[in-house]
Amino acid sequence: MCRSNFGTRIITGAVTATSTHDTGACCRTGRKLGSGSGMEAIQGPAGPRAMTADFSGEDMKPAKQDHELHHLYRTVPRSASALPLVVLVLALAAAGVVALPLWTALASGFIAAFAVGWISGFPFRKLVLAAFSGMKKVSRVAVLMALINVAIATWLGSGSIQSLVYYGLRAVRPGSLLAAGFLASTVVSVVLGTAVGTLSTVGVAAMAMARAAGVHQGLVAGALLSGALLGDRLSPVSPIFHVTVQSTGSAQERVWKRAAVTEGIGWILTLALYFVVQSSMKSSSASGGAQNSFLETMAGMWSPSPVACFPPLVVLFLAVFRVPVPWALTGGIIAGTGLGLVRGVRWPEIVWWWLKGFKASTEAASLDQAFSGGGLVRASNVVLLLLFAGAFNGVMESTGMFRGVAEPIVEKLRSRKAVLLGTMGLGAASACVMSNQLMSIIVPAELTRDIQTGLEIEPEVTAQILLASGGVLSPLIPWNIMGVMSSEALGLPTAAFAAFTFYPFVVLALTAIQAAFASPRSDSSCRKRRTDEIEEAEGKG
């Protein structure tokens, strides 16, 4: 095999690569170099041809001139790369102290990243395009947040959620809500392959049940999210799972086989924990007589019926048949609107629900609190948080500042144990800094690819590590896109349920123990497999 030394610069998911020295005769035949990292530097008979990508995310194209390439792609000094992260951490702490919205902290981090990039020589226009590119990546999520809030308001106004809660409380006692929610969320997430879709259907109804029955909302939300995370990362139809497999170059079957033991043990331990907590809560749960009285009050106020449960079930049905979540939610909104019209609600009132949310007006304060919410106004802070997170991530990624902070750490990793634990740390850090569950998988996989290859660490081991670090911690970070979506679907701030989401912590601990103490496969088998892969790659070349 031939190797070449490349100077790289990541630009919104693409990489610019220029050859810095002769790569040998075997590379002069037009073979693609640097495979696996997203870069496509082609070495042909005429010499190296630089490939560049615009900040806007367009396909790579040949550079016009070398001096132009040098002007566009400068390097941020490593000492300055950490400054935006420091500003972000301080701003987050300040926002927590003085109760400012989280988007103000992300805005501060973005301004710092933009300033550092500009001072380091990146053109102002290119930095603006990088910020807009980052915002564009989260625009779909912002639309999804708006749809979730409109759906919740519509279902509350039409009586759908009230009907689900009514029949749910008749079937499941409040004292069993933790374990029941965890199990139901697990099953639905494995079928749908997405935590957001699960929390937007099962989660909405279960949280309404918790509010109505007076069960600790943080605990119920934690149980629901814990169950949803299993299918979100390991379902055969999970996008996160397939991104991880592709990023690490591993085989699906091997990843499932490795993850089955650790994740299975973690799932059983988590279920046991919720049973223990649930048992300690039974004494404080409402009595049977009080619950029956509560159900009678609900029946008198909203006249629950099986037909009224239909709109949220439309979302679940469409998602099972692989309809994208935004379109599935739109179907649920249409069904809820139709139900409201049938029940005599006029269009102006329904539109008001969409804008301001539904506000219950009964004689019982507990019912008013349990069955009010949704609306686009409520989603405004969340949309701002997403946009500034996207802009910050776009600038940090395109200028290479995150790599500037991470690469010195990676270079110090020497042993197998250090690399695996370091990869876990990078996954968690990526989830915090880049505010994106996907980037918490892709970035650590790319940063540690060479050193893991050198130590002959199996790709499926890396995949398991990444799924159990940034992949599972993202929903617990308030400014992470996954955390924002989970918080909106559950109707609680992340801080209210993070400590009660046991599954991520259990899986993280088990995976760290496995990484620290598990023995690698024999050197001979590793070398044989690596040799076979190299020969196969060269044969295709």
Side-chain angles (χ1 to χ4, degrees):
M1 288 185 65
C2 59
R3 299 180 65 88
S4 113
N5 181 21
F6 285 97
T8 63
R9 201 73 71 239
I10 291 186
I11 306 296
T12 317
V15 178
T16 299
T18 52
S19 176
T20 58
H21 66 273
D22 189 5
T23 57
C26 68
C27 292
R28 293 193 179 95
T29 60
R31 182 176 300 172
K32 188 179 293 186
L33 301 177
S35 61
S37 63
M39 59 186 175
E40 300 199 359
I42 308 299
Q43 182 80 8
R49 178 161 59 98
M51 307 295 288
T52 65
D54 195 348
F55 277 86
S56 61
E58 297 177 357
D59 293 336
M60 292 187 293
K61 54 188 177 183
K64 294 181 179 179
Q65 297 179 8
D66 287 341
H67 73 272
E68 183 179 344
L69 178 69
H70 176 73
H71 172 69
L72 290 178
Y73 299 104
R74 300 178 182 273
T75 302
V76 177
R78 283 184 173 180
S79 58
S81 295
L83 181 60
L85 303 183
V86 174
V87 171
L88 176 62
V89 171
L90 294 176
L92 288 169
V97 171
V98 298
L100 290 174
L102 280 178
W103 66 262
T104 59
L106 270 297
S108 301
F110 161 66
I111 293 172
F114 194 100
V116 170
W118 190 30
I119 293 172
S120 299
F122 284 84
F124 185 89
R125 178 176 175 273
K126 294 296 181 180
L127 291 172
V128 172
L129 290 175
F132 275 107
S133 177
M135 290 182 179
K136 184 178 179 181
K137 290 179 181 179
V138 302
S139 60
R140 182 177 180 274
V141 181
V143 172
L144 185 60
M145 292 299 95
L147 288 173
I148 288 175
N149 277 278
V150 170
I152 290 173
T154 306
W155 297 343
L156 284 169
S158 62
S160 294
I161 292 178
Q162 291 89 329
S163 295
L164 286 172
V165 171
Y166 177 80
Y167 290 111
L169 288 177
R170 290 183 63 178
V172 179
R173 295 295 176 182
S176 304
L177 192 54
L178 288 184
F182 177 72
L183 292 170
S185 188
T186 297
V187 172
V188 174
S189 71
V190 170
V191 173
L192 300 184
T194 165
V196 175
T198 301
L199 298 178
S200 300
T201 50
V202 176
V204 170
M207 288 304 298
M209 289 173 62
R211 287 190 292 269
V215 180
H216 193 293
Q217 295 181 49
L219 276 170
V220 175
L224 291 166
L225 180 55
S226 290
L229 282 173
L230 181 69
D232 185 73
R233 296 171 306 113
L234 293 176
S235 169
V237 295
S238 164
I240 294 296
F241 177 80
H242 290 286
V243 166
T244 305
V245 169
Q246 293 172 6
S247 298
T248 57
S250 52
Q252 296 182 15
E253 296 79 6
R254 289 175 177 167
V255 176
W256 277 322
K257 189 178 294 185
R258 282 195 63 88
V261 176
T262 305
E263 301 278 347
I265 294 173
W267 188 88
I268 292 171
L269 290 175
T270 302
L271 179 60
L273 285 172
Y274 284 123
F275 267 121
V276 171
V277 174
Q278 184 174 276
S279 299
S280 66
M281 293 172 54
K282 284 185 177 179
S283 60
S284 60
S285 298
S287 63
Q291 181 175 342
N292 291 333
S293 176
F294 178 82
L295 292 174
E296 290 175 2
T297 303
M298 282 192 64
M301 292 298 304
W302 284 290
S303 302
S305 68
V307 175
C309 300
F310 180 68
L313 296 180
V314 167
V315 179
L316 189 59
F317 176 81
L318 293 175
V320 167
F321 286 93
R322 304 290 167 256
V323 175
V325 173
W327 289 109
L329 282 169
T330 302
I333 293 170
I334 293 173
T337 301
L339 178 62
L341 292 173
V342 169
R343 290 193 162 190
V345 182
R346 296 185 177 181
W347 269 108
E349 187 174 356
I350 293 176
V351 174
W352 183 257
W353 296 344
W354 295 347
L355 295 176
K356 301 287 289 185
F358 176 77
K359 183 173 178 59
S361 179
T362 69
E363 297 179 356
S366 60
L367 288 177
D368 291 346
Q369 182 180 4
F371 299 113
S372 297
L376 292 173
V377 172
R378 182 181 172 219
S380 58
N381 280 336
V382 175
V383 171
L384 286 172
L385 173 61
L386 288 170
L387 292 177
F388 278 115
F392 174 76
N393 187 39
V395 174
M396 289 292 291
E397 181 186 354
S398 63
T399 57
M401 280 190 272
F402 182 72
R403 293 180 69 94
V405 175
E407 283 177 346
I409 300 173
V410 175
E411 291 170 359
K412 295 178 180 179
L413 304 176
R414 294 290 183 267
S415 66
R416 176 188 175 94
K417 178 170 71 174
V419 170
L420 293 181
L421 293 177
T423 302
M424 292 187 72
L426 284 172
S430 299
C432 290
V433 174
M434 309 196 83
S435 306
N436 189 307
Q437 188 184 33
L438 286 175
M439 297 305 293
S440 73
I441 301 291
I442 296 171
V443 170
E446 174 61 28
L447 287 174
T448 61
R449 184 186 306 279
D450 290 341
I451 192 169
Q452 295 207 31
T453 300
L455 292 172
E456 296 183 329
I457 295 175
E458 302 85 347
E460 57 267 21
V461 174
T462 306
Q464 181 193 4
I465 290 288
L466 293 174
L467 286 170
S469 52
V472 78
L473 290 176
S474 292
L476 305 184
I477 301 169
W479 57 91
N480 188 287
I481 293 173
M482 184 65 177
V484 172
M485 292 191 292
S486 300
S487 175
E488 280 299 293
L490 294 169
L492 288 177
T494 308
F497 59 80
F500 305 111
T501 309
F502 301 148
Y503 184 70
F505 302 114
V506 173
V507 169
L508 187 66
L510 291 175
T511 305
I513 293 171
Q514 187 179 22
F517 298 106
S519 300
R521 292 190 294 182
S522 66
D523 290 341
S524 60
S525 63
C526 288
R527 281 194 295 269
K528 184 178 184 303
R529 176 184 167 191
R530 192 64 188 156
T531 301
D532 292 342
E533 290 175 349
I534 292 172
E535 291 177 351
E536 181 181 355
E538 291 183 342
K540 292 180 179 179

